[in-house]
Amino acid sequence: KAGVTQTPRYLIKTRGQQVTLSCSPISGHRSVSWYQQTPGQGLQFLFEYFSETQRNKGNFPGRFSGRQFSNSRSEMNVSTLELGDSALYLCASSQRFMNTEAFFGQGTRLTVV
Amino acid sequence: AQKVTQAQTEISVVEKEDVTLDCVYETRDTTYYLFWYKQPPSGELVFLIRRNSFDEQNEISGRYSWNFQKSTSSFNFTITASQVVDSAVYFCALSGRDRDDKIIFGKGTRLHILP
């Protein structure tokens, strides 16, 4: 079956702009989580959605938001981009809970200039 | 607070050597889960193992083995007879037992297997 698909793979944006990233989980998976990966901070948890509800949230400013649709696809949005938002954004899906086996997408590489 | 420490930032070994990646964790929970993930150059994290805190048996899967020691709060990962394809970043992670507990990742160990 198809894996986790993230689009786009690469993105260049200017400071102050906003961006929307998309994640299609594995068919049948209802939990989708988002992570930010940077060389300095490593992998940091952004949020998790389950059945269209945000179930958990990391320590990120309100500029970072997300949502999940009825088909389990998820989007995350970052408004008023800052240079420090440059990172690899990874999406993971699991059948029910994130602390089981999770499957990750290849990520979206966001560069803010 | 939960924390995962991978003290080895980067390791290089010659192909066919054995290599052990260290992972030390901190948690106040009595029930928790430990994980290892592999991140190859393509970017996606690949699940390797999940271990329940009540199960201290060591696990072996092919060339991979894991040593879980509660007494030292460690969950180390050994690759036997390493291969170039094992080159990747390896992450150790920790989660509580509740279904809405998030996963805390270590900073990762970059492993280079030299031909």
Side-chain angles (χ1 to χ4, degrees), chain A residues 15-91:
Chain A
R15 266 184 307 175
Q17 287 186 313
Q18 91 167 16
V19 66
T20 300
L21 312 181
S22 179
C23 172
S24 294
I26 290 173
S27 178
H29 284 194
R30 296 164 64 187
S31 169
V32 173
S33 293
W34 289 88
Y35 291 84
Q36 181 196 65
Q37 185 177 19
T38 59
Q41 299 300 317
L43 272 161
Q44 292 188 286
F45 172 75
L46 279 157
F47 26 65
E48 182 199 359
Y49 286 88
F50 181 84
S51 292
E52 302 179 66
T53 301
Q54 188 179 85
R55 189 159 66 180
N56 212 334
K57 190 176 189 306
N59 297 322
F60 277 82
R63 300 186 297 108
F64 291 81
S65 63
R67 60 178 174 167
Q68 186 180 34
F69 302 95
S70 58
N71 61 358
S72 292
R73 191 177 71 85
S74 177
E75 290 181 346
M76 68 162 279
N77 185 76
V78 188
S79 62
T80 319
L81 283 166
E82 301 177 358
L83 295 178
D85 297 332
S86 295
L88 179 67
Y89 290 87
L90 290 163
C91 165

Side-chain angles (χ1 to χ4, degrees), chain A residues 37 41 56 97-99 102 105, chain B residues 39 50 95-96 98 100 103:
Chain A
Q37 185 177 19
Q41 299 300 317
N56 212 334
F97 311 125
M98 267 311 296
N99 56 7
Chain B
Q39 186 177 38
R50 181 181 85 146
S95 172
D98 293 333
D100 56 354
I103 298 177

